[in-house]
Amino acid sequence: MRTYYLDGLGSFEGIVARDAPEPTPGPTGIVVRVRAVALNRRDVAIVNGTYPLPSVPGVIPVSDGAGEVVAVGPEVTRFRVGDRVVGSYFAKWLDGRLNIGLIDQLGCTLDGMLTEYALLDQDWAALVPDHLTWAEAASLPCSGTTAWNSLTGGEPLLPGQTVLTLGTGAVSLAAVQFAKLMGATVISTTSSDAKGDRLRALGADHVVNYATTPDWGRAVRELTGGAGVDLVVETNGPKTIEQSMRAAGLYGQVVLLITGSASRPGIEISNAAYASSMATIRRVFVGSRAHLETMLAAVAAHGLRPVVDREFDYDDVHEAYRYFDKASGFGKVVVRVG
C-alpha cells in the first residue's frame, strides 16, 4: 500500500509518501480500506510544530478518515468485514470525562488515516450512516463531534433558544445544521454577503456581516430583542471573544474552542463586556467516541449531509494542505484515497 508519513516539521513537504506492507489486525484490531480523509486546523498545526500535543516522529497524519472494514482480529465484536466506519479523534476516550490517560489522537500520537489501509483498534472507530458519501463521512469526526459537543455537552439546548455561530469554518457550519435540528434559532456571522446567502440556505435564521458591522455583538443582541443569545459556538477565540461575550445572554453559554493565536497569545475580555453578565465559558476538546456516535445517530436520523468545499486526489496531498491553509472556503477540504 501507499502511505503518507510526517517525516519532518515546518513544511508540508515534510509529508512524504512511501510504500508499506498492508497491515494485519491483532486480536482486537480492524483494517480499514480508507476511501477519503478530511483536513482540520490541527493537521496544519501538527505539521508546523505548533500543536500543543507533540506528534510522534514518522506518524501517519490526519485524524479524520472514512472507509470500509476489510479485515478483523479474532476477538473483534464491534465490527465485521464490509462495515463503513470512521476513526474517532481521541481514540481512547470512549465516554465520560477526558483525562491525561486518554489524550492520544489519531494522526498525532497514534497513526492516522492518510493511508490506503489504516490499522485501528475496534474501540477507535464508529459506524457511518448509510446515506453519506465517503467525503461526507470523512468530514464528520472532528468538526461534527466538536459542534455536537458544543451544543449538547453543557446545559441542554432547548427548542426555541438562540445559538450564535461565527464564520463559515466546518465546526460553525455543522453547528448551524445541528442547532436547527434541535429547534433553535440560529444567528451566524460572516464577512461575505455571498456566504451569508449560503448560511441562510443551510439554515441560519439571521446573518450579521462583521466586516460592515464591527460591533456585531450589539447587532446580535438587537436580533434577540436585547436578551442576547443562549449559546455561542466561539470558534475564533482571541479575535472575537469580546464581541461574543457582548452577544451572550445573562445566563448564556460561551463554548470556547480556540484560546490563542500567533498574533494574540491569550484571551482578553473587558470589564464592560463581562461585569454585568452571568454567562458561562466552557472549553471543548472535540469529544469522546460516545459524542461521535450520538452525533452520527442524529445525522442518520435526519439525513443530514455535512458541507464539502473541495476534494483532492490522493497524489495531491500537498496541494490539499496548501489550499486548506490559505483558502477561506465553505466546508471541508477532502482528499480522496481510493
Side-chain angles (χ1 to χ4, degrees), residues 5 35 45 85 113 115-116 122 138 149 157 243 261 268 270 284:
Y5 299 91
R35 296 299 185 181
V85 300
M113 304 297 287
T115 176
E116 291 181 323
Q122 66 171 342
N149 192 7
L157 180 66
Q243 290 297 316
S261 65
E268 293 184 7
S270 72
V284 163

Side-chain angles (χ1 to χ4, degrees), residues 163 165 172-173 176-177 180 184-189 195-208:
V163 172
T165 67
S172 295
L173 298 183
V176 171
Q177 294 175 295
K180 292 307 295 180
T185 297
V186 177
I187 303 173
S188 299
T189 70
K195 289 183 178 180
D197 291 338
R198 296 185 69 181
L199 283 165
R200 292 185 183 91
L202 196 64
D205 298 281
H206 307 282
V207 177
V208 176

Side-chain angles (χ1 to χ4, degrees), residues 203-283:
D205 298 281
H206 307 282
V207 177
V208 176
N209 188 318
Y210 64 81
T212 57
T213 310
D215 190 13
W216 49 265
R218 182 186 300 275
V220 169
R221 292 192 75 90
E222 291 173 356
L223 288 170
T224 63
V229 299
D230 297 288
L231 190 148
V232 184
V233 183
E234 178 38 274
T235 49
N236 293 317
K239 294 187 295 183
T240 51
I241 187 65
E242 174 81 7
Q243 290 297 316
S244 289
M245 292 303 304
R246 292 179 181 275
L250 179 61
Y251 284 95
Q253 300 178 71
V254 179
V255 181
L256 184 62
L257 306 182
I258 306 295
T259 58
S261 65
S263 58
R264 299 185 183 184
I267 295 291
E268 293 184 7
I269 304 171
S270 72
N271 180 64
Y274 210 178
S276 60
S277 174
M278 300 291 286
T280 300
I281 297 176
R282 179 167 62 91
R283 287 282 283 130

Side-chain angles (χ1 to χ4, degrees), residues 10 25 30 50-51 56 74-75 84 86 104 146 154 170 189 212 215 231 246 248 252 257 274 288 301 303 306:
I30 62 173
T50 59
Y51 194 58
V56 173
E75 297 178 15
R84 289 159 41 95
V86 291
D104 280 325
T146 301
T189 70
T212 57
D215 190 13
L231 190 148
R246 292 179 181 275
L257 306 182
Y274 210 178
S288 65

Side-chain angles (χ1 to χ4, degrees), residues 278-329:
M278 300 291 286
T280 300
I281 297 176
R282 179 167 62 91
R283 287 282 283 130
V284 163
F285 293 146
V286 190
S288 65
R289 193 190 75 197
H291 289 122
L292 169 65
E293 290 176 326
T294 306
M295 178 270 294
L296 291 171
V299 168
H302 294 272
L304 185 147
R305 294 183 180 275
V307 181
V308 176
D309 174 46
R310 185 173 172 184
E311 297 183 36
F312 289 82
D313 291 333
Y314 195 50
D315 290 335
D316 298 325
V317 164
H318 295 153
E319 183 182 352
Y321 267 84
R322 285 191 288 267
Y323 175 82
F324 177 81
D325 189 33
K326 299 298 182 183
S328 179

